[in-house]
mmCIF file of all heavy atoms in Angstrom:
data_model
loop_
_atom_site.group_PDB
_atom_site.id
_atom_site.type_symbol
_atom_site.label_atom_id
_atom_site.label_comp_id
_atom_site.label_asym_id
_atom_site.label_seq_id
_atom_site.Cartn_x
_atom_site.Cartn_y
_atom_site.Cartn_z
ATOM 1 N N ILE A 266 74.498 56.482 -27.725
ATOM 2 C CA ILE A 266 75.355 55.356 -28.130
ATOM 3 C C ILE A 266 74.956 54.856 -29.514
ATOM 4 O O ILE A 266 75.797 54.702 -30.407
ATOM 5 C CB ILE A 266 75.267 54.219 -27.096
ATOM 6 C CG1 ILE A 266 75.853 54.664 -25.750
ATOM 7 C CG2 ILE A 266 75.999 52.972 -27.602
ATOM 8 C CD1 ILE A 266 75.623 53.687 -24.623
ATOM 9 N N LEU A 267 73.650 54.612 -29.702
ATOM 10 C CA LEU A 267 73.172 54.062 -30.971
ATOM 11 C C LEU A 267 73.349 55.031 -32.125
ATOM 12 O O LEU A 267 73.495 54.614 -33.278
ATOM 13 C CB LEU A 267 71.703 53.666 -30.848
ATOM 14 C CG LEU A 267 71.380 52.518 -29.884
ATOM 15 C CD1 LEU A 267 69.879 52.274 -29.830
ATOM 16 C CD2 LEU A 267 72.104 51.237 -30.310
ATOM 17 N N SER A 268 73.333 56.341 -31.821
ATOM 18 C CA SER A 268 73.480 57.338 -32.886
ATOM 19 C C SER A 268 74.844 57.269 -33.553
ATOM 20 O O SER A 268 75.030 57.777 -34.663
ATOM 21 C CB SER A 268 73.251 58.744 -32.329
ATOM 22 O OG SER A 268 74.274 59.109 -31.419
ATOM 23 N N LYS A 269 75.800 56.632 -32.904
ATOM 24 C CA LYS A 269 77.144 56.503 -33.457
ATOM 25 C C LYS A 269 77.330 55.183 -34.199
ATOM 26 O O LYS A 269 78.381 54.941 -34.786
ATOM 27 C CB LYS A 269 78.181 56.645 -32.340
ATOM 28 C CG LYS A 269 78.083 57.964 -31.590
ATOM 29 C CD LYS A 269 79.142 58.088 -30.520
ATOM 30 C CE LYS A 269 78.946 59.354 -29.690
ATOM 31 N NZ LYS A 269 78.945 60.585 -30.492
ATOM 32 N N TRP A 270 76.339 54.311 -34.168
ATOM 33 C CA TRP A 270 76.395 53.018 -34.846
ATOM 34 C C TRP A 270 75.498 53.069 -36.072
ATOM 35 O O TRP A 270 74.274 53.037 -35.957
ATOM 36 C CB TRP A 270 75.933 51.893 -33.919
ATOM 37 C CG TRP A 270 76.820 51.676 -32.727
ATOM 38 C CD1 TRP A 270 77.945 52.352 -32.385
ATOM 39 C CD2 TRP A 270 76.636 50.690 -31.707
ATOM 40 N NE1 TRP A 270 78.481 51.868 -31.218
ATOM 41 C CE2 TRP A 270 77.696 50.838 -30.780
ATOM 42 C CE3 TRP A 270 75.683 49.705 -31.483
ATOM 43 C CZ2 TRP A 270 77.814 50.035 -29.649
ATOM 44 C CZ3 TRP A 270 75.797 48.896 -30.353
ATOM 45 C CH2 TRP A 270 76.864 49.059 -29.458
ATOM 46 N N GLN A 271 76.096 53.149 -37.248
ATOM 47 C CA GLN A 271 75.310 53.296 -38.465
ATOM 48 C C GLN A 271 74.380 52.121 -38.718
ATOM 49 O O GLN A 271 73.325 52.292 -39.336
ATOM 50 C CB GLN A 271 76.244 53.489 -39.660
ATOM 51 C CG GLN A 271 76.950 54.838 -39.664
ATOM 52 C CD GLN A 271 77.668 55.101 -40.965
ATOM 53 O OE1 GLN A 271 77.697 54.273 -41.860
ATOM 54 N NE2 GLN A 271 78.265 56.287 -41.067
ATOM 55 N N VAL A 272 74.744 50.957 -38.227
ATOM 56 C CA VAL A 272 73.895 49.789 -38.445
ATOM 57 C C VAL A 272 72.544 49.963 -37.761
ATOM 58 O O VAL A 272 71.543 49.371 -38.174
ATOM 59 C CB VAL A 272 74.605 48.511 -37.934
ATOM 60 C CG1 VAL A 272 74.746 48.523 -36.420
ATOM 61 C CG2 VAL A 272 73.864 47.256 -38.395
ATOM 62 N N PHE A 273 72.482 50.785 -36.708
ATOM 63 C CA PHE A 273 71.228 51.040 -36.007
ATOM 64 C C PHE A 273 70.626 52.408 -36.345
ATOM 65 O O PHE A 273 69.414 52.545 -36.512
ATOM 66 C CB PHE A 273 71.442 50.974 -34.483
ATOM 67 C CG PHE A 273 71.774 49.608 -33.975
ATOM 68 C CD1 PHE A 273 73.035 49.340 -33.467
ATOM 69 C CD2 PHE A 273 70.839 48.581 -34.000
ATOM 70 C CE1 PHE A 273 73.351 48.083 -32.988
ATOM 71 C CE2 PHE A 273 71.143 47.327 -33.525
ATOM 72 C CZ PHE A 273 72.407 47.072 -33.019
ATOM 73 N N ASN A 274 71.491 53.430 -36.414
ATOM 74 C CA ASN A 274 70.932 54.781 -36.410
ATOM 75 C C ASN A 274 70.135 55.126 -37.656
ATOM 76 O O ASN A 274 69.172 55.889 -37.581
ATOM 77 C CB ASN A 274 72.024 55.832 -36.145
ATOM 78 C CG ASN A 274 73.026 55.962 -37.275
ATOM 79 O OD1 ASN A 274 72.823 55.499 -38.376
ATOM 80 N ND2 ASN A 274 74.142 56.620 -36.982
ATOM 81 N N LYS A 275 70.463 54.568 -38.810
ATOM 82 C CA LYS A 275 69.698 54.891 -40.012
ATOM 83 C C LYS A 275 68.250 54.460 -39.883
ATOM 84 O O LYS A 275 67.327 55.200 -40.235
ATOM 85 C CB LYS A 275 70.346 54.243 -41.242
ATOM 86 C CG LYS A 275 71.668 54.890 -41.646
ATOM 87 C CD LYS A 275 72.222 54.273 -42.914
ATOM 88 C CE LYS A 275 73.520 54.956 -43.328
ATOM 89 N NZ LYS A 275 74.088 54.362 -44.564
ATOM 90 N N THR A 276 68.050 53.250 -39.376
ATOM 91 C CA THR A 276 66.685 52.747 -39.197
ATOM 92 C C THR A 276 65.960 53.524 -38.117
ATOM 93 O O THR A 276 64.805 53.932 -38.296
ATOM 94 C CB THR A 276 66.712 51.256 -38.828
ATOM 95 O OG1 THR A 276 67.339 50.522 -39.887
ATOM 96 C CG2 THR A 276 65.298 50.723 -38.619
ATOM 97 N N LEU A 277 66.619 53.748 -36.994
ATOM 98 C CA LEU A 277 65.978 54.448 -35.875
ATOM 99 C C LEU A 277 65.696 55.904 -36.210
ATOM 100 O O LEU A 277 64.680 56.459 -35.778
ATOM 101 C CB LEU A 277 66.859 54.351 -34.628
ATOM 102 C CG LEU A 277 66.908 52.969 -33.975
ATOM 103 C CD1 LEU A 277 67.968 52.943 -32.875
ATOM 104 C CD2 LEU A 277 65.549 52.598 -33.405
ATOM 105 N N ILE A 278 66.576 56.536 -36.980
ATOM 106 C CA ILE A 278 66.337 57.919 -37.388
ATOM 107 C C ILE A 278 65.101 58.008 -38.263
ATOM 108 O O ILE A 278 64.250 58.886 -38.092
ATOM 109 C CB ILE A 278 67.566 58.486 -38.118
ATOM 110 C CG1 ILE A 278 68.709 58.727 -37.124
ATOM 111 C CG2 ILE A 278 67.230 59.786 -38.847
ATOM 112 C CD1 ILE A 278 70.025 59.060 -37.779
ATOM 113 N N ARG A 279 64.983 57.096 -39.202
ATOM 114 C CA ARG A 279 63.804 57.107 -40.078
ATOM 115 C C ARG A 279 62.533 56.866 -39.277
ATOM 116 O O ARG A 279 61.512 57.531 -39.486
ATOM 117 C CB ARG A 279 63.957 56.050 -41.178
ATOM 118 C CG ARG A 279 62.735 55.911 -42.061
ATOM 119 C CD ARG A 279 63.062 55.274 -43.381
ATOM 120 N NE ARG A 279 63.890 56.150 -44.209
ATOM 121 C CZ ARG A 279 64.246 55.867 -45.468
ATOM 122 N NH1 ARG A 279 63.840 54.749 -46.041
ATOM 123 N NH2 ARG A 279 64.996 56.704 -46.154
ATOM 124 N N ILE A 280 62.582 55.921 -38.350
ATOM 125 C CA ILE A 280 61.416 55.665 -37.500
ATOM 126 C C ILE A 280 61.113 56.896 -36.640
ATOM 127 O O ILE A 280 59.953 57.275 -36.467
ATOM 128 C CB ILE A 280 61.659 54.430 -36.614
ATOM 129 C CG1 ILE A 280 61.711 53.167 -37.480
ATOM 130 C CG2 ILE A 280 60.571 54.281 -35.556
ATOM 131 C CD1 ILE A 280 62.096 51.909 -36.727
ATOM 132 N N GLY A 281 62.170 57.530 -36.120
ATOM 133 C CA GLY A 281 61.977 58.713 -35.290
ATOM 134 C C GLY A 281 61.349 59.858 -36.049
ATOM 135 O O GLY A 281 60.467 60.549 -35.532
ATOM 136 N N ARG A 282 61.780 60.077 -37.279
ATOM 137 C CA ARG A 282 61.219 61.164 -38.070
ATOM 138 C C ARG A 282 59.780 60.870 -38.502
ATOM 139 O O ARG A 282 59.013 61.797 -38.782
ATOM 140 C CB ARG A 282 62.095 61.431 -39.288
ATOM 141 C CG ARG A 282 63.429 62.067 -38.907
ATOM 142 C CD ARG A 282 64.348 62.264 -40.084
ATOM 143 N NE ARG A 282 65.591 62.927 -39.655
ATOM 144 C CZ ARG A 282 66.667 63.078 -40.415
ATOM 145 N NH1 ARG A 282 66.654 62.615 -41.658
ATOM 146 N NH2 ARG A 282 67.743 63.679 -39.956
ATOM 147 N N ALA A 283 59.430 59.599 -38.529
ATOM 148 C CA ALA A 283 58.058 59.204 -38.870
ATOM 149 C C ALA A 283 57.203 58.984 -37.635
ATOM 150 O O ALA A 283 56.109 58.431 -37.728
ATOM 151 C CB ALA A 283 58.083 57.931 -39.712
ATOM 152 N N ALA A 284 57.682 59.436 -36.472
ATOM 153 C CA ALA A 284 57.003 59.136 -35.204
ATOM 154 C C ALA A 284 55.553 59.603 -35.193
ATOM 155 O O ALA A 284 54.670 58.907 -34.690
ATOM 156 C CB ALA A 284 57.779 59.752 -34.032
ATOM 157 N N MET A 285 55.292 60.800 -35.732
ATOM 158 C CA MET A 285 53.925 61.310 -35.735
ATOM 159 C C MET A 285 53.000 60.402 -36.546
ATOM 160 O O MET A 285 51.896 60.055 -36.110
ATOM 161 C CB MET A 285 53.873 62.731 -36.301
ATOM 162 C CG MET A 285 52.457 63.284 -36.427
ATOM 163 S SD MET A 285 52.354 64.847 -37.342
ATOM 164 C CE MET A 285 53.067 65.964 -36.126
ATOM 165 N N VAL A 286 53.464 59.999 -37.723
ATOM 166 C CA VAL A 286 52.660 59.129 -38.584
ATOM 167 C C VAL A 286 52.440 57.778 -37.919
ATOM 168 O O VAL A 286 51.335 57.226 -37.939
ATOM 169 C CB VAL A 286 53.336 58.952 -39.954
ATOM 170 C CG1 VAL A 286 52.517 58.027 -40.855
ATOM 171 C CG2 VAL A 286 53.529 60.299 -40.623
ATOM 172 N N ILE A 287 53.484 57.229 -37.312
ATOM 173 C CA ILE A 287 53.361 55.932 -36.634
ATOM 174 C C ILE A 287 52.394 56.037 -35.468
ATOM 175 O O ILE A 287 51.588 55.130 -35.232
ATOM 176 C CB ILE A 287 54.753 55.447 -36.165
ATOM 177 C CG1 ILE A 287 55.650 55.169 -37.377
ATOM 178 C CG2 ILE A 287 54.623 54.183 -35.311
ATOM 179 C CD1 ILE A 287 57.097 54.880 -37.024
ATOM 180 N N MET A 288 52.448 57.160 -34.733
ATOM 181 C CA MET A 288 51.529 57.341 -33.615
ATOM 182 C C MET A 288 50.085 57.281 -34.086
ATOM 183 O O MET A 288 49.242 56.604 -33.503
ATOM 184 C CB MET A 288 51.803 58.676 -32.930
ATOM 185 C CG MET A 288 50.902 58.948 -31.731
ATOM 186 S SD MET A 288 50.922 60.680 -31.199
ATOM 187 C CE MET A 288 49.998 61.465 -32.531
ATOM 188 N N TYR A 289 49.788 57.993 -35.161
ATOM 189 C CA TYR A 289 48.416 58.052 -35.652
ATOM 190 C C TYR A 289 47.955 56.745 -36.295
ATOM 191 O O TYR A 289 46.780 56.377 -36.174
ATOM 192 C CB TYR A 289 48.276 59.165 -36.684
ATOM 193 C CG TYR A 289 48.189 60.553 -36.114
ATOM 194 C CD1 TYR A 289 49.073 61.563 -36.527
ATOM 195 C CD2 TYR A 289 47.222 60.890 -35.170
ATOM 196 C CE1 TYR A 289 48.984 62.851 -36.015
ATOM 197 C CE2 TYR A 289 47.133 62.172 -34.652
ATOM 198 C CZ TYR A 289 48.010 63.144 -35.080
ATOM 199 O OH TYR A 289 47.930 64.410 -34.571
ATOM 200 N N LEU A 290 48.851 56.056 -37.001
ATOM 201 C CA LEU A 290 48.411 54.980 -37.899
ATOM 202 C C LEU A 290 48.744 53.564 -37.442
ATOM 203 O O LEU A 290 48.348 52.614 -38.113
ATOM 204 C CB LEU A 290 49.002 55.208 -39.300
ATOM 205 C CG LEU A 290 48.525 56.465 -40.042
ATOM 206 C CD1 LEU A 290 49.112 56.495 -41.444
ATOM 207 C CD2 LEU A 290 47.007 56.534 -40.097
ATOM 208 N N HIS A 291 49.466 53.381 -36.324
ATOM 209 C CA HIS A 291 49.826 51.998 -35.995
ATOM 210 C C HIS A 291 48.610 51.166 -35.589
ATOM 211 O O HIS A 291 48.488 49.994 -35.982
ATOM 212 C CB HIS A 291 50.924 51.938 -34.925
ATOM 213 C CG HIS A 291 50.522 52.349 -33.558
ATOM 214 N ND1 HIS A 291 50.432 53.656 -33.163
ATOM 215 C CD2 HIS A 291 50.185 51.621 -32.449
ATOM 216 C CE1 HIS A 291 50.075 53.721 -31.893
ATOM 217 N NE2 HIS A 291 49.905 52.506 -31.429
ATOM 218 N N ILE A 292 47.682 51.746 -34.857
ATOM 219 C CA ILE A 292 46.478 50.991 -34.482
ATOM 220 C C ILE A 292 45.563 50.767 -35.684
ATOM 221 O O ILE A 292 45.087 49.636 -35.895
ATOM 222 C CB ILE A 292 45.737 51.690 -33.322
ATOM 223 C CG1 ILE A 292 46.623 51.718 -32.068
ATOM 224 C CG2 ILE A 292 44.416 50.994 -33.021
ATOM 225 C CD1 ILE A 292 46.009 52.428 -30.887
ATOM 226 N N PRO A 293 45.273 51.778 -36.515
ATOM 227 C CA PRO A 293 44.488 51.516 -37.730
ATOM 228 C C PRO A 293 45.130 50.492 -38.660
ATOM 229 O O PRO A 293 44.422 49.685 -39.287
ATOM 230 C CB PRO A 293 44.413 52.889 -38.392
ATOM 231 C CG PRO A 293 44.570 53.862 -37.286
ATOM 232 C CD PRO A 293 45.522 53.217 -36.321
ATOM 233 N N SER A 294 46.467 50.523 -38.781
ATOM 234 C CA SER A 294 47.155 49.553 -39.641
ATOM 235 C C SER A 294 46.905 48.133 -39.154
ATOM 236 O O SER A 294 46.611 47.225 -39.952
ATOM 237 C CB SER A 294 48.659 49.833 -39.665
ATOM 238 O OG SER A 294 48.929 51.105 -40.218
ATOM 239 N N VAL A 295 47.016 47.941 -37.853
ATOM 240 C CA VAL A 295 46.768 46.618 -37.280
ATOM 241 C C VAL A 295 45.304 46.225 -37.453
ATOM 242 O O VAL A 295 44.986 45.066 -37.729
ATOM 243 C CB VAL A 295 47.175 46.586 -35.796
ATOM 244 C CG1 VAL A 295 46.704 45.300 -35.124
ATOM 245 C CG2 VAL A 295 48.688 46.742 -35.654
#
Side-chain angles (χ1 to χ4, degrees):
I266 294 171
L267 294 178
S268 67
K269 302 181 185 303
W270 295 1
Q271 290 190 357
V272 68
F273 293 112
N274 68 15
K275 289 184 178 180
T276 299
L277 288 172
I278 288 170
R279 175 159 292 185
I280 292 174
R282 289 176 178 171
M285 176 190 287
V286 179
I287 295 172
M288 181 195 72
Y289 282 125
L290 295 184
H291 70 279
I292 297 178
S294 297
V295 170

